[in-house]
Amino acid sequence: MESTNDIFFLATRLLGSLALLIFGMKQMSDTLQKMAGPQLRHILGRMTTNRFTGMLTGILVTAAVQSSTATTVMTVSFVNASLLTLAQAISVIMGANIGTTLTAWIMSAGFAFNITNLVWPAFILAMFLIYRQRHENIGDFIFGVSFMFLGLGTLRQTGVDMNLGEQQAVLDFFASFDPKSFTTTLLFLFIGGVLTMCVQSSAAVMAITMILCSSGALPIYQGIALVMGENIGTTVTSNLAALTASTQARRAAFAHMFFNIFGVCWILIVFHPFIDFVCSLVGFDVEMTRESAGQAAFLANAAKLSVVLAAFHTCFNLANTGILIWFIPQIEKIVCRVIKSKKTSEESEKEPLRLQYIGGGLMQTPEIAVLQAQKEVAVYAERIHRMFGMVKSLLEETNDDNFVKTFSRIEKYESISDNMEIEIARYLERVGDEHISVETKSKIRSMMRQISEIESIGDACYNLSRTLNRRQQSNKSFNKELMDAIREMMALVEEALTLMTKVVSGPIEQQSINDSYRLENSINSLRDRLKTENISAINDQRYDYAIGTMFSDIIRECEKLGDYIVNVVQARFGK
């Protein structure tokens, strides 16, 4: 019974330390992105002039944030924004594969010596910095690093306490597999991939592998096969996540998978010689056995295996990148051939609402999600702009059937507008619940205001179409004087909408708010003049009261539109 309790305690300690490790790495990565998210995006945008600078950028950014997924998501967002080509994105992803090997080196350092004693002062320092709110981000980062090293130290000690290298049942189990057999390599490769997909963490699988290898229970060949499987497993996860994402996101995810699968294929051809070469670099004796060298010497040799795994991970990704970086155009063609573009069509009555940038797909970190959300707000603005174009065409329509079809499209656009506001707002609320910077919170508030005012523009467009429909049903028409006045007003609104779409879509540093103010003043002045002229015309009986009322409703709604447009621009500028 006592041994059962011991096994249960060791198992829970193993799982708990893995949880600490994963939490620490996530905390560290999220905090780094929170502190340097905008700067990292600028680096990605500017340092990808060719395949080599793209690769270097991927290495630096991934090594900084300790997350190849975050780098991939950032890269995809730039491809969606047409700031990077797919070829440039592939070079960044190659660099991300190299950058993520730093994680393995950090873990191997944690297994090489006991670092748990060093984390307690770090926890105290982190708490002190967090309570001094000015340095809260630095404190969060130190907390993440401390939790990560505490998890590593606990994992290392748990591995020692489990005595796996002396458990005959464990030794017999792994000894039943022929380390020279190709089938054994494929089996462990498959196990590594499945484990990574199940636990959703390549770091956890790497940590388990290091425990098994450094204890002397798992031979190095099977251990490296697990690491290779982890490389594929992590790309399968991202590809499954990207199934509902945009075409470019799926292509980037598939390029990541292609890169790793190709690497595994060629490494299997030179599997044992390549591993022997890496072992010689580290100073690990592949031929040493427990019987020939004795228990102490064997375990001392096995203790180097965590470094061997990290060295293999780095050498593998360096060699794979060195081969494939010359074939990026060919990889791009393969990826585009496998992942074909989705058929695009003009929105119609049969086309359901589908958000282009935030509808699902790759898991996004909060700082990167904001960039995607602003792209979606820009799409929202463009869609409402098209809706106003339909209202203008409705004004000029004389054919009853065409009038009904256009009015029906406007009704559907109004429904789409309401749904888009709700979906974008929900997404922003989820992002706002994350651990984000003050700057990002401000951007989220700004986008909330933008989508609310854009939805009001959609309502105003729908109200205009209803007034025109009322006129159509009454079999009345505007005379030339009224039509010219409405066209003049709508031309000003169209100009204001065009400017608003440009402000929402582009960098605000290149825009000016004064042009929007000028157009709003012009709309207000024209409204006042037309209102006065309309009252005089009705009194002079140049047209009847019903037509005058409908004309007044259209002019008043256009003036409201101008106000909503200025509100969107102000929100974008943070005013």
Side-chain angles (χ1 to χ4, degrees), residues 162-210:
M162 290 173 79
N163 292 320
L164 292 174
E166 298 177 9
Q167 300 291 332
Q168 197 58 43
V170 177
L171 294 174
D172 291 343
F173 173 76
F174 287 117
S176 65
F177 299 97
D178 181 7
K180 302 290 184 181
S181 169
F182 186 70
T183 305
T184 299
T185 302
L186 290 180
L187 176 63
F188 277 82
L189 190 149
F190 175 76
I191 293 171
V194 171
L195 278 176
T196 304
M197 287 188 285
C198 290
V199 301
Q200 294 284 296
S201 172
S202 56
V205 178
M206 176 68 82
I208 293 169
T209 308
M210 284 186 175

Side-chain angles (χ1 to χ4, degrees), residues 24 75 95 253 292 300 321 328 365 400 434 439 479 560:
T75 304
S292 63
T321 301
I328 287 179
T365 53
D400 287 344
E434 298 292 332
E439 179 189 359
N479 61 27
K560 286 183 183 177

Side-chain angles (χ1 to χ4, degrees), residues 235-374:
T235 64
V236 172
T237 303
S238 63
N239 272 270
L240 290 174
L243 285 177
T244 57
S246 66
T247 301
Q248 294 292 46
R250 290 184 295 126
R251 284 174 176 171
F254 182 73
H256 192 197
M257 175 182 274
F258 177 86
F259 176 85
N260 282 5
I261 289 178
F262 178 87
V264 168
C265 288
W266 72 258
I267 207 72
L268 285 174
I269 299 173
V270 293
F271 187 65
H272 288 90
F274 191 87
I275 293 174
D276 292 344
F277 167 72
V278 173
C279 290
S280 66
L281 290 178
V282 175
F284 173 79
D285 188 352
V286 183
E287 302 298 329
M288 183 182 291
T289 62
R290 198 183 304 267
E291 293 74 18
S292 63
Q295 181 77 352
F298 177 79
L299 291 178
N301 189 48
K304 300 176 183 177
L305 282 175
S306 60
V307 181
V308 172
L309 289 171
F312 170 81
H313 202 208
T314 302
C315 292
F316 165 72
N317 281 292
L318 282 172
N320 203 27
T321 301
I323 295 170
L324 290 179
I325 198 168
W326 306 102
F327 300 97
I328 287 179
Q330 289 75 19
I331 295 173
E332 183 180 16
K333 288 179 182 177
I334 292 171
V335 167
C336 291
R337 189 170 296 174
V338 174
I339 310 292
K340 294 181 170 58
S341 298
K342 297 174 183 176
K343 293 181 180 179
T344 57
S345 60
E346 185 67 24
E347 289 168 326
S348 65
E349 295 82 0
K350 299 178 182 179
E351 185 179 2
L353 166 67
R354 183 179 177 85
L355 299 179
Q356 295 184 20
Y357 297 99
I358 63 176
L362 291 173
M363 293 296 293
Q364 298 182 359
T365 53
E367 301 293 332
I368 309 308
V370 171
L371 179 68
Q372 300 293 79
Q374 187 61 54

Side-chain angles (χ1 to χ4, degrees), residues 481-482 485 488 526-540 542-543 551:
E481 177 187 355
L482 294 181
E488 183 181 0
L526 181 59
R527 184 271 318 265
D528 293 340
R529 177 170 65 82
L530 294 178
K531 182 179 178 182
T532 303
E533 291 176 356
N534 183 49
I535 294 172
S536 298
I538 292 173
N539 290 335
D540 295 341
R542 294 205 297 271
Y543 43 79
F551 172 77

Side-chain angles (χ1 to χ4, degrees), residues 382-533:
E382 290 167 4
R383 186 165 293 182
I384 292 299
H385 193 173
R386 287 200 300 271
M387 186 179 180
F388 182 74
M390 295 175 200
V391 174
K392 288 175 65 181
S393 67
L394 198 67
L395 173 68
E396 307 291 344
E397 191 59 67
T398 56
N399 183 280
D400 287 344
D401 290 338
N402 291 340
F403 187 96
V404 171
K405 287 179 182 177
T406 304
F407 181 70
S408 178
R409 285 193 73 199
I410 293 172
E411 284 185 312
K412 290 194 176 293
Y413 260 66
E414 203 277 332
S415 176
I416 288 173
S417 169
D418 292 343
N419 290 333
M420 283 193 74
E421 181 197 18
I422 292 169
E423 291 301 317
I424 296 173
R426 284 175 179 168
Y427 182 81
L428 290 172
E429 285 173 354
R430 289 199 302 271
V431 176
D433 290 338
E434 298 292 332
H435 198 52
I436 55 177
S437 63
V438 175
E439 179 189 359
T440 302
K441 288 178 181 176
S442 175
K443 288 179 181 178
I444 290 174
R445 286 194 298 270
S446 168
M447 280 186 276
M448 284 289 198
R449 284 179 57 202
Q450 289 174 53
I451 61 173
S452 176
E453 297 295 341
I454 291 172
E455 193 276 334
S456 296
I457 295 173
D459 289 343
C461 289
Y462 181 53
N463 290 337
L464 283 170
S465 69
R466 289 175 62 190
T467 302
L468 292 172
N469 187 53
R470 196 167 78 241
R471 182 210 64 177
Q472 185 81 356
Q473 297 297 324
S474 67
N475 292 320
K476 295 179 181 294
S477 60
F478 297 126
N479 61 27
K480 184 177 183 303
E481 177 187 355
L482 294 181
M483 286 292 286
D484 288 344
I486 295 172
R487 289 183 186 120
E488 183 181 0
M489 175 62 85
M490 286 190 171
L492 285 174
V493 174
E494 172 73 28
E495 188 178 352
L497 271 170
T498 302
L499 184 60
M500 181 201 77
T501 305
K502 184 179 178 183
V503 168
V504 171
S505 304
I508 57 174
E509 298 83 9
Q510 300 174 9
Q511 313 294 337
S512 171
I513 199 171
N514 294 327
D515 291 335
S516 294
Y517 286 150
R518 175 183 57 80
L519 285 168
E520 185 198 20
N521 291 333
S522 298
I523 290 171
N524 291 341
S525 298
L526 181 59
R527 184 271 318 265
D528 293 340
R529 177 170 65 82
L530 294 178
K531 182 179 178 182
T532 303
E533 291 176 356

